[in-house]
Amino acid sequence: MNDLSPVSSPRQGSDAEVLRPHAEEQYAEELHLLAKEDDRPRPPGWKLSPWAVTTYILGDGDRVTPKYVGARRVVEVAVATLATDRALLLLGVPGTAKTWLSEHLAAAISGDSTLLVQGTAGTAEEAVRYGWNYARLLAEGPSIEALTPSPVMRAMAEGRVTRVEELTRMPSDVQDALITVLSEKTLPIPELGREVQARRGFNLIATANDRDKGVNDLSSALRRRFNTVVLPVPATAEEEVDIVARRVDQLGRSLELPGTGTGLEEIRRVVTVFRELRSGVTEDGRTRVKSPSGTLSTAEAISVLTSGIALAAHFGDGVLRPADVAAGIVGAVVQEPVSDRVAWREYLETVVRERPGWQDFYRACRDVS
């Protein structure tokens, strides 16, 4: 057996009504443009060539917008991995755009980023293999009609890319259900005496980080089935400011909030605070500071600034100011009520207070601290 009836969910409403369209919908014009002009060899089952996939991810400086800001070689290695029979593991600290990159890779390669397994401590093996429609199972017994395919099984049968988010949060026995899929490219269905064999174009992208609590290390057998690509944090403050400004602007447009042009100063301040606290030293290298327990990632900076823009838009004059981001910063930094609060107050008094041009920011943060 090598075919399953595709199980699709209707996508209701227009893109304008959807809060967050899937990547292949939001960037459909760019994908169509690249496919039309792409004359390079395409691996079996791919919508675009590896070169065009990389261009879609990184942008071309003209008609294709960048989806990921980082080293080109990192993306090239990830794309080249998916062109082989090796699965891809995107590894990095929280907030390094692992999920974002995996979604856009799947959209560019397969035209579908929705074949997704979300890993949690409660993820069952059925999410990786298959389940059953128990009403039909009891009435008719085991049959292909009573079987409920997982996203992984569907991707194998259709020759597409599937995604597994937070792989290390899944129980170890559920993780290891992927070993046969990745090594033999086969998913047995012993109840039916059949199997699903992967069609060309199938591959798997997993994401993982080792900073969060409750992590289950991958077995050596499973880790060998992946090529691992480590996504670094942005190398410079300017690079991180660029990433944050782009994403905040995208989110703001989807929420019909003002643009970030008038808030670049606050974006730089938030990024500077987060970078200094997570590195434990000020940007000039002169003062060491205590790092709080949180990760203070780029993703959290984006969240703080998006909330700040919403405050400015709905309760201010539309211009992003220190008071709009102060509460969000404190909420992101102070995760442990005692130790983090001490670290934050010390940073506020020894660094922020003495920094030229930051007095309004200092007062706003002090007032909410």
Side-chain angles (χ1 to χ4, degrees), residues 145-289:
E145 291 76 18
L147 185 143
T148 304
S150 70
V152 176
M153 178 180 278
R154 285 186 53 200
M156 295 176 69
E158 298 169 11
R160 297 179 182 269
V161 172
T162 187
R163 302 159 54 209
V164 178
E165 292 295 315
E166 301 291 355
L167 178 61
T168 51
R169 283 192 163 275
M170 294 163 53
S172 298
D173 57 331
V174 179
Q175 293 177 13
D176 286 344
L178 290 170
I179 291 178
T180 301
V181 170
L182 298 181
S183 60
E184 305 296 331
K185 301 298 186 289
T186 298
L187 205 165
I189 311 175
E191 296 90 340
L192 302 179
R194 305 171 78 173
E195 64 181 15
V196 174
Q197 292 181 303
R199 292 184 177 179
R200 290 193 168 195
F202 166 73
N203 214 324
L204 186 144
I205 307 172
T207 67
N209 72 75
D210 55 5
R211 288 286 186 90
D212 291 341
K213 298 177 181 178
V215 167
N216 300 302
D217 290 335
L218 302 183
S219 66
S220 59
L222 181 56
R223 186 175 285 275
R224 288 196 302 271
R225 270 66 183 183
F226 286 98
N227 277 356
T228 301
V229 172
V230 178
L231 299 186
V233 296
T236 66
E238 284 306 312
E239 183 178 302
E240 189 162 2
V241 167
D242 181 46
I243 294 169
V244 172
R246 288 175 185 273
R247 286 294 294 132
V248 170
D249 187 57
Q250 290 171 348
L251 290 170
R253 285 200 304 270
S254 71
L255 298 171
E256 299 185 6
L257 298 174
T260 60
T262 56
L264 284 177
E265 183 178 2
E266 301 312 320
I267 291 176
R268 289 192 179 94
R269 284 174 171 170
V270 172
V271 168
T272 298
V273 169
F274 277 28
R275 289 179 69 87
E276 291 181 337
L277 285 173
R278 70 179 180 235
S279 66
V281 64
T282 55
E283 60 182 358
D284 60 11
R286 295 179 178 179
T287 306
R288 300 203 61 83
V289 298

Side-chain angles (χ1 to χ4, degrees), residues 9 25 101 198 229 299 304:
S9 56
E25 298 169 341
L101 181 56
V229 172
V304 167

Side-chain angles (χ1 to χ4, degrees), residues 40-50 53 79 82-84 109 200-201:
R40 304 198 180 201
R42 305 181 187 184
W46 283 39
K47 300 292 185 181
L48 299 172
S49 69
V53 172
V79 173
L82 293 171
T84 70
I109 293 170
R200 290 193 168 195

Side-chain angles (χ1 to χ4, degrees), residues 278-316:
R278 70 179 180 235
S279 66
V281 64
T282 55
E283 60 182 358
D284 60 11
R286 295 179 178 179
T287 306
R288 300 203 61 83
V289 298
K290 294 179 181 177
S291 294
S293 60
T295 57
L296 300 180
S297 67
T298 306
E300 287 163 303
I302 292 168
S303 177
V304 167
L305 286 156
T306 303
S307 297
I309 290 174
L311 279 172
H314 297 301
F315 301 102

